[in-house]
Structures are given as structure tokens and as C-alpha cells.
Amino acid sequence: MPHARLNGIDLHWAERGNGAAVLFLHGFPFNRTLWDAQVASLPAGRRALAPDLRGFGASRDAGKGPLTMEQHAADVVALLDQLRIERTVVCGLSMGGYVALAMLRAAPERLRALVLSDTHAEPDGAAAREARIATADRARREGSAGIVATLLPRLLAESTFTQAPEVVERLRSLMEAASPESIARASLGMAERADSRPLLASIRVPVLVLGGESDALTPPAVLRALAAAIPGARLEQLPDAGHVANLENPAAFDSALHAFLASLPND
Ligand code: MLT
């Protein structure tokens, strides 16, 4: 797997294809393999890049503080610099969406278009921040299995639990592979993320907002509000999918993503 020394860590990423770049940013507490199906099925003429965000997968980070969205955004911009990619489509799921919005704030000129999946622009309120601290404590006390037990039941659609046990198991092992310390640090990093709502009206690149119809964490009304706040944004709600729409209904996710990519001008 390609990797490079960037911003003080060895950042690893999966890569496939040639042409206009599409950068996939995974959610919490997953890693680049969340995007395996999308990386494999990206149409010809596109170059898929799926990094392990700092602290996850093979991108180890021995630091101690919160893993902030700004740091992740700086890491992926450094990756684009390393690969001499000027502009890219960015596709972020959940926490990956927070990182995409941080990237838009820090380096808007690097975005060609934006795909926001199962995510939202609001910062955490007081209760959500308390819950993040509890998650961090639990991860440090009980390890990743403790997080799987509380988080997994909320992540997936009922239909995924009943009809696609292999998807449930795949996500479970992905989450169990996460380092408890990174889970804790990422939780604390998400708790301090900025309010991205003021950014939305000024977005000038094409945007696709999509997510699972049964997403309990970012429900359809939240996605509708996100899409409505972004000029010209497309909205797609996917059946038979919860919060991890690309894994739960990859056919619907890929069809929405590929149609969006095909619609981009001068591509
Ligand atoms: C994720 O899937 O990345 C998380 O649900 C994000 C969050 O906890 O806010």
C-alpha cells in the first residue's frame, strides 16, 4: 500500500486507476477499507484515493491530543500536494464529511466537487460533547469492543441486520480493528469541531448530499436541510441503508455517485 511521511506521521492510502481524482474520507471509527467497493467500481478515467485518516488503519499516530478535523484536513491536503493533485472530488462519510467541510474551510481551491454522505454541518451541543467524553472514557477502559457494543446497533438499518449479516460482521471487525486510543482521541476531536453551517451558502462547487433512508444518526430531515442550505446541491436518499450507506447499499450508492461524477462539467 502506498504511504508517505506527511505532517509527522506515515500516512497510508489505497489507490486505483488514473485520471481525475476522487478522494474518499472514511467515518468513525473505520478505516480506508470502508471504501473498498467504491474504489473498485469507480469508472475508468478516475483515480480513487482512500487514505487511512491519522490514527486509523495503517496511519499510526502516537500523539496524545484530540484528533481534530483540521488536522485530518491538513493531512489530506498534504497528500494531494505529495501526489501533485491540484483539485479533487472529495467524498466524505459522516466524520469524513466533517473533514471534507474542514477542507473546504481551509483549502477550498483544492475541491473540484463535494459528496457529503450521512453527515451534517452542525457542531456538537453540550449533551453531544458529554457523550463524546463518555465514549473516549469507555474506549480507554473497555477497548474497541466496548464501542462496538454501544455504537454498532445504531449505525445500520434494520434491514441490514436482518438481511445482510455479512455487512454487520464486516463493520464489526472494521471497528474492532480501531485502536482504542484513536477512538478516544477522534471522539474528543469531533467534540471540538467547528460549526460548518456558515460555509454552506458560499459553496460554489457541485455538491451531492446522500445517505441512507434509515440513518438514525443523520436522518433524512437532516440531510434535506443540509442539501437545502447548499446552492444547487443534489439530494439522494438511499433505500435499505442506515448510517453507513456505501456499505449497506453499495449498488444504490455507486449509482448516485457515478451519475454525479458524470454530470460534472469539463470532466
Ligand atoms: C461517523 O460515522 O463518522 C460518526 O457517526 C460521526 C459522529 O459520531 O458524529
Side-chain angles (χ1 to χ4, degrees):
M1 188 189 348
H3 59 100
R5 192 86 193 152
L6 297 171
N7 295 342
I9 62 156
D10 264 329
L11 194 89
H12 289 65
W13 68 94
E15 179 164 356
R16 184 177 162 274
N18 293 295
V22 182
L23 175 67
F24 292 98
L25 302 176
H26 64 78
F28 164 89
F30 312 136
N31 61 50
R32 69 183 187 285
T33 64
L34 178 74
W35 296 112
D36 280 355
Q38 284 68 42
V39 168
S41 67
L42 206 62
R46 304 265 170 197
R47 177 183 187 184
L49 299 166
D52 278 331
L53 294 174
R54 174 184 290 259
F56 293 96
S59 297
R60 302 264 163 81
D61 174 18
K64 295 258 176 280
L67 287 169
T68 65
M69 303 308 103
E70 286 73 24
Q71 178 68 66
H72 289 312
D75 291 343
V76 294
V77 168
L79 173 61
L80 295 179
D81 289 344
Q82 167 81 19
L83 299 175
R84 298 181 198 288
I85 295 172
E86 249 175 64
R87 293 210 311 160
T88 180
V89 176
V90 178
C91 173
L93 181 131
S94 197
M95 183 183 78
Y98 307 156
V99 176
L101 290 167
M103 214 180 144
L104 191 67
R105 191 176 301 108
E109 71 286 357
R110 308 305 289 268
L111 276 90
R112 166 82 188 74
L114 184 57
V115 181
L116 295 170
S117 177
D118 303 278
T119 193
H120 62 110
E122 289 82 8
D124 280 357
R129 278 199 294 275
E130 287 298 312
R132 301 283 190 199
I133 293 167
T135 298
D137 289 346
R138 189 176 315 109
R140 285 174 170 141
R141 228 178 26 243
E142 298 173 19
S144 45
I147 300 307
V148 173
T150 53
L151 192 54
L152 188 62
R154 300 163 59 218
L155 286 177
L156 300 170
E158 191 51 39
S159 56
T160 304
F161 283 108
T162 56
Q163 287 158 39
E166 71 288 355
V167 171
V168 183
E169 285 322 303
R170 168 117 192 268
L171 199 65
R172 180 196 304 284
S173 58
L174 229 158
M175 294 168 76
E176 282 177 352
S179 117
E181 185 57 20
S182 292
I183 293 176
R185 294 176 61 207
S187 244
L188 300 174
M190 286 191 286
E192 61 179 64
R193 75 186 184 280
D195 185 354
S196 292
R197 286 172 298 184
L199 268 184
L200 302 178
S202 63
I203 296 180
R204 291 292 172 265
V205 293
V207 176
L208 169 64
V209 173
L210 82 172
E213 273 176 4
S214 306
D215 184 343
L217 301 183
T218 41
V222 170
L223 286 197
R224 274 198 298 278
L226 176 62
I230 302 173
R234 287 189 186 197
L235 174 65
E236 299 275 355
Q237 312 262 20
L238 310 181
D240 300 322
H243 189 61
V244 197
N246 71 310
L247 205 62
E248 298 181 77
N249 193 341
F253 190 98
D254 289 355
S255 136
L257 174 65
H258 298 174
F260 175 69
L261 293 174
S263 77
L264 297 178
N266 307 321
D267 240 276

